[in-house]
């Protein structure tokens, strides 16, 4: 009798595990958002500054050697150049734990003319910040390269050579028919992020994933997997698990 009960209990447990396993597989995303730089997009030089080398990443402590995950970093592909289809794209940067209260964001055109500049309030905790451009700023021109900077204001002053500094490049391009078709078929921000990633459009890939996370009710399942895969695919695995700071 006990053997029959034990066998029956085993059948029930096995069946429950099978159902749970099926549910888990269905809940997991079919593929993570992985980014690959499109052909023809060449890399851009990294700005080397004494500030980036002499201070502790962003902690405003002189003479300390830091690990990659402890240094200020722009969220850009390995090439340092990210494509966008937006007139005024979002920019993302990782700011480590710091005693500074503010960071400065600036955007320059190819002739080093200042296009936009703003200040970012910082908390003491490490995290990824987003910088958005207001509507009154002139739209990026298609086909032109722009350089952007994020500077941790340790001294309270902009462009201090001792301030930690990170830079990236952005180029606006136009949507091709294939991307446009996929975006029209997409019903969620996750699907839009995948479409942009496949087309090599960096800034909108990151933006769509962040928006998916903030909505909570949409695409929230497995968001961390997608985000970590995206950053790892462009060489940013050192900060792939850092939280959003807003």
């Amino acid at each position: 009798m006990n053997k029959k009960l034990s066998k029956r209990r085993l059948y029930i447990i096995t069946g429950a595990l099978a159902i749970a396993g099926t549910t888990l597989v269905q809940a997991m995303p079919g593929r993570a958002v992985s980014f690959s730089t499109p052909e023809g997009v060449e890399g851009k030089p990294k700005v080397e500054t004494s500030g980036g080398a002499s201070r502790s990443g962003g902690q405003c402590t002189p003479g300390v050697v830091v690990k990659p995950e402890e240094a200020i970093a722009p969220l850009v592909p390995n090439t340092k150049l990210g494509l966008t289809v937006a007139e005024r794209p979002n920019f993302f940067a990782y700011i480590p734990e710091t005693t500074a209260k503010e960071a400065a964001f600036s955007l320059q055109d190819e002739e080093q003319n200042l296009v936009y500049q703003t200040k970012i309030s910082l908390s003491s905790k490490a995290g990824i910040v987003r910088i958005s451009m207001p509507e009154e700023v002139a739209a990026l021109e298609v086909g032109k390269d722009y350089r952007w900077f994020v500077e941790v204001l340790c001294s309270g002053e902009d462009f201090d050579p001792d301030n930690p500094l990170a830079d990236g490049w952005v180029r606006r391009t136009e949507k091709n028919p294939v991307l446009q078709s996929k975006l029209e078929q997409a019903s969620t921000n996750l699907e839009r992020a995948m479409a942009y990633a496949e087309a090599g459009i960096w800034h909108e890939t990151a933006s769509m994933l962040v928006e998916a996370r903030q909505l909570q009710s949409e695409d929230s399942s497995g968001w961390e997997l997608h985000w970590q895969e995206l950053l790892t695919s462009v060489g940013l695995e050192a900060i792939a698990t850092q939280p959003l700071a807003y």
Side-chain angles (χ1 to χ4, degrees), residues 34-43 76-83 197-202 233-234:
S34 183
F35 187 87
S36 59
T37 301
E39 294 183 7
V41 177
E42 299 179 354
V76 288
N78 315 62
T79 57
K80 297 289 291 181
L81 171 65
L83 298 183
E198 290 173 359
I201 307 299
W202 171 256
S233 68
V234 296

Side-chain angles (χ1 to χ4, degrees), residues 35-101:
F35 187 87
S36 59
T37 301
E39 294 183 7
V41 177
E42 299 179 354
K44 286 290 184 178
K46 183 181 188 300
V47 171
E48 298 295 344
T49 68
S50 59
S54 64
R55 291 191 179 272
S56 184
Q59 299 177 29
C60 304
T61 305
V64 178
V65 178
V66 299
K67 301 175 182 177
E69 63 271 19
E70 296 172 348
I72 181 175
L75 267 63
V76 288
N78 315 62
T79 57
K80 297 289 291 181
L81 171 65
L83 298 183
T84 181
V85 295
E87 294 183 345
R88 300 167 189 84
N90 291 317
F91 298 85
F92 298 89
Y94 168 67
I95 308 293
E97 182 178 328
T98 181
T99 56
K101 301 301 182 184

Side-chain angles (χ1 to χ4, degrees), residues 83-215:
L83 298 183
T84 181
V85 295
E87 294 183 345
R88 300 167 189 84
N90 291 317
F91 298 85
F92 298 89
Y94 168 67
I95 308 293
E97 182 178 328
T98 181
T99 56
K101 301 301 182 184
E102 286 185 318
F105 170 86
S106 55
L107 179 68
Q108 298 178 356
D109 64 16
E110 293 173 307
E111 287 75 40
Q112 298 185 359
N113 298 311
L114 186 63
V115 175
Y116 176 60
Q117 187 174 35
T118 190
K119 295 287 181 63
I120 310 162
S121 297
L122 302 177
S123 69
S124 59
K125 297 181 180 180
I128 294 170
V129 299
R130 176 174 62 182
I131 304 98
S132 301
M133 296 174 62
E135 289 295 322
E136 56 267 25
V137 177
L140 302 188
E141 295 185 41
V142 174
K144 287 193 174 183
D145 292 347
Y146 297 80
R147 176 179 277 178
W148 57 279
F149 302 86
V150 176
E151 178 185 7
V152 176
L153 302 181
C154 291
S155 66
E157 299 293 333
D158 296 2
F159 305 113
D160 186 318
D162 286 331
N163 286 338
L165 179 71
D167 76 298
W169 290 79
V170 59
R171 178 189 300 161
R172 185 182 168 198
T173 187
E174 295 179 329
K175 297 176 186 175
N176 59 45
V178 174
L179 172 59
Q180 184 62 42
S181 176
K182 289 183 178 180
L183 291 175
E184 290 172 356
Q185 296 175 30
S187 59
T188 66
N189 285 327
L190 177 56
E191 291 175 353
R192 295 182 189 98
M194 288 182 172
Y196 281 120
E198 290 173 359
I201 307 299
W202 171 256
H203 286 265
E204 281 65 57
T205 300
S207 293
M208 287 295 101
L209 268 186
V210 169
E211 287 188 23
R213 177 66 180 88
Q214 290 180 321
L215 286 176

